[in-house]
Amino acid sequence: SSASPLGVANSAGPDSTCLLFLLSRLFSICKDPAFPRCIHSFHINHGFQEASGRMAEVAHANAVKFHAESHVLPIPWGEGMYPLKPKAGEPIELIARQARQRRMFDGMRDADVDIVAFGHHADDQVETSVMRWSKGSSPFGLAGMAHIRRWGMGDGHDLQFFGTEGLSKWVIRPLLPIAKERILATCDFHNLEYVVDETNFQPDLTLRNSIRTAIADLRSSNALSENMFLQKLKEANIISKTVSSIPYDFIGDSLDLYGSVQLISTRMEEIEAEAIMHLDLNRVQSPPGTFLLATGGRLLNATHPLIQSAMILCILRYVSPMPWGSVQAQGHRRGQNIRSLVSRVFTPWDQLEPQQQVPVSAGGQVIWRPMRIKQDGYLRHFRDTKYPEPRPLSSGERLGWLACRVPPQTHEAEKLTIDATDMLRAADERVRRHGSGLSSAVEFLWDCRFLIRFRLDCAPTDVREKL
């Protein structure tokens, strides 16, 4: 809505500077009420480099120049949940990224901003795709970064856990189809001031930098062929010496990295949309926090292996007690485990081997159980103590696979026992002191899957008296 501000991650580099300039120009000339009228610029200062102060100055000056609300946010190393500033020999890039994400999230919350735009571009997308390919990623990983996605819950650690609030914030990447050279040309044409981060061009610092350097060297020599590309990546120890082919296409004799990654990305978006459609068509009502997928019939129309895999990944993300949006929730997307589930769920029951007709877990702390779906909607295990051997389906019964949380171990069950008394008492005290106009609702996330809400204004009088 017009009242919703937009955030921009402003590093003071050419990409974010160009993005901030273009968005400011767009909003100034566009009268569409759906467009934001207010832009917030967020610059995260790690304090790692001598140039950090200069970057913060340029980021602030550009924000003011382009009529954006400026937020220069230093990372408070060693305070609260933030670790001490990393030293040489430690995974500086990883620690810095995690701290940067937390500081950005907190800045967005303080400024009441729900959407933040990043300046990632087509060259970044190629590097991301190649980096994931080098680690053996599936086509979903080769698609690179999403144009738009939820922020997500994080990965479960204190610094990186954003809870349900992370599901209401979004990341967008408007420049993702644009090549770096066009961004630099835009900056030059409009005399935009920016700072170049020299650490982005040190190939020994990160894997991404190594890939960036290898691609740049080949492009400068006009030798971006498959053999040269493979040779360069092998020399830099980015891929194994035994790799003999690449997942990208050609235009004539030249390797088309931009076009290939864009095509993969578009195709994966289509795959995920089709997967969601099939899930809607084949879902059956089941207990809260579970997902029941009816097999046979319309489900067998989802024949493409990637659509089937996408459906499995969606269900895992929904049911898992791991944080929503994390790779842990999807069993780290291990190809072998996903294929194992696909082979069971999408194979007609009478064609499964007996050892495949039993409950199975393949990651994400989710167990898949074959169920009988009775005509009245009730569910029965396909095998139970009374009938250890599977019986034929009765008239009106259907078969389905129920995805549900793996029962917690003893140490996990203790963490799931939450005494809410103090929270309720504090909320009740606030209402008594400040009047009924104050919200008496108490919320917390339980098992990373359920938002539990108590409303004291609806509680019986004797309960509030005992508080």
Side-chain angles (χ1 to χ4, degrees), residues 35-75:
F35 274 64
R37 298 273 74 88
C38 178
I39 298 177
H40 288 255
S41 165
F42 297 100
H43 176 80
I44 312 300
N45 187 351
H46 300 90
F48 283 146
Q49 311 170 41
E50 293 182 4
S52 294
R54 173 63 178 160
M55 291 179 177
E57 291 175 0
V58 172
H60 174 71
N62 282 332
V64 172
K65 180 179 179 181
F66 302 134
H67 311 290
E69 186 76 25
S70 179
H71 305 268
V72 177
L73 307 173
I75 293 179

Side-chain angles (χ1 to χ4, degrees), residues 59-121:
H60 174 71
N62 282 332
V64 172
K65 180 179 179 181
F66 302 134
H67 311 290
E69 186 76 25
S70 179
H71 305 268
V72 177
L73 307 173
I75 293 179
W77 297 110
E79 298 180 14
M81 66 176 66
Y82 289 89
L84 295 172
K85 182 183 288 189
K87 301 177 182 178
E90 295 182 310
I92 295 177
E93 183 69 18
L94 174 63
I95 297 173
R97 183 173 66 251
Q98 293 178 344
R100 182 170 63 247
Q101 290 174 344
R102 166 53 62 181
R103 196 72 180 94
M104 175 70 74
F105 186 85
D106 290 345
M108 291 173 62
R109 178 174 54 198
D110 294 342
D112 197 23
V113 170
D114 291 332
I115 305 173
V116 62
F118 284 85
H120 297 123
H121 47 75

Side-chain angles (χ1 to χ4, degrees), residues 389-457:
E389 293 299 322
R391 297 176 288 112
L393 291 173
S394 303
S395 176
E397 283 187 336
R398 292 185 293 165
L399 179 72
W401 284 90
L402 180 71
C404 52
R405 188 210 201 282
V406 169
Q409 302 296 318
T410 302
H411 68 281
E412 293 177 317
E414 293 175 355
K415 295 179 181 178
L416 295 180
T417 302
I418 298 175
D419 187 341
T421 307
D422 289 341
M423 289 186 285
L424 294 173
R425 184 179 291 124
D428 185 65
E429 182 67 21
R430 287 196 305 271
V431 173
R432 291 180 186 275
R433 285 186 177 183
H434 302 288
S436 58
L438 195 67
S439 173
S440 64
V442 174
E443 302 184 335
F444 57 87
L445 181 65
W446 186 80
D447 201 24
C448 250
R449 299 183 301 140
F450 297 96
L451 184 64
I452 307 297
R453 178 183 292 115
F454 290 93
R455 285 189 54 187
L456 291 176
D457 57 324

Side-chain angles (χ1 to χ4, degrees), residues 95-157:
I95 297 173
R97 183 173 66 251
Q98 293 178 344
R100 182 170 63 247
Q101 290 174 344
R102 166 53 62 181
R103 196 72 180 94
M104 175 70 74
F105 186 85
D106 290 345
M108 291 173 62
R109 178 174 54 198
D110 294 342
D112 197 23
V113 170
D114 291 332
I115 305 173
V116 62
F118 284 85
H120 297 123
H121 47 75
D123 293 66
D124 293 326
Q125 186 76 310
V126 167
E127 293 161 10
T128 299
S129 180
V130 173
M131 182 168 60
R132 292 179 180 176
W133 168 56
S134 72
K135 296 179 179 180
S137 181
S138 70
F140 295 102
L142 297 184
M145 298 173 281
H147 291 76
I148 177 172
R149 67 166 177 82
R150 291 183 190 272
W151 186 284
M153 285 188 180
D155 66 6
H157 302 296

Side-chain angles (χ1 to χ4, degrees), residues 171-187:
V171 172
I172 61 173
R173 299 183 173 96
L175 299 183
L176 211 50
I178 310 301
K180 175 78 170 187
E181 61 182 6
R182 288 186 61 191
I183 291 174
L184 293 174
T186 301
C187 290

